[in-house]
Amino acid sequence: MKHIFLLLVIALGLSASMIKTTLLSIDYDKNRATVKIKSVDIGVSGFLVHTLAKNHTTIVKNVQVISYDKTSEIATLEMNTFNALQNNALPTGRWKALAGDKVELAFGYSRSMLIAPSEEIYHRITKSVKTQWVHIDIFATVISYRGHPTPLKEDFSAMSIASSVGLLFIYIDKKLYTVDINTFVILSISDAPLVQDTLQLPFYSRVEHIEANWWGDGSSELEVYEPYYFGLLKKYNPNNKALIQNIEKFEKGQKND
């Protein structure tokens, strides 16, 4: 009988609940805003909430933390179009946020999804990490509907909208990467020395077949696991030294084999 021990430490410095703070300043020309907060990781996403009247608010922008000054405790946010509640049958407002409005960060961080290469690894990690897991079968259904047997970043964003998932865990080569599912920025990397005896592509799920579009990005069957997910992470984390080192170590090991 094989004994697999999972030594896993998640050091996010994040709360499972949302981080709520007040908007200090906003510059629509540069799509930038600032807030004061005791601690936050770069890459954390959230919303900018404008107050319309007493007890009435509306989300006007998606935001993500792009820099943080520990001395002043000032975080700079990049603003993007809010698209989570699109409905062409309803009118849209032209409201703009003002200093003093609310910013809510880490939305959905209490709900997580895991990309793993095998059933064994999937179950061991989901049993070890304390969070509200949204089953991977739902994501498999989402990408099948979108015709992407090779999942794209936009598919993960669609999953976030559909199921209010905030955190994405990706297991690659004995490491567990914790990612903001909307920005795809790595929040932490943890050791997870599990034995991998099998491989299921594009990831472990109980969905037997994922539909594919005739053409376009994501329409091809995924043929490799580690190189693809490493590449996806590197695209959105090009300056993450730990990730680059892990990729180089993996590629060196592949050559030696």
Side-chain angles (χ1 to χ4, degrees), residues 88-105:
N88 294 331
L90 296 177
T92 57
R94 297 182 180 274
W95 305 288
K96 287 189 175 183
L98 303 170
D101 279 336
K102 301 300 180 182
V103 174
E104 298 181 356
L105 300 173

Side-chain angles (χ1 to χ4, degrees), residues 183-194:
T183 65
F184 237 74
V185 173
I186 296 172
L187 303 175
S188 73
I189 303 175
S190 305
D191 290 328
L194 297 172

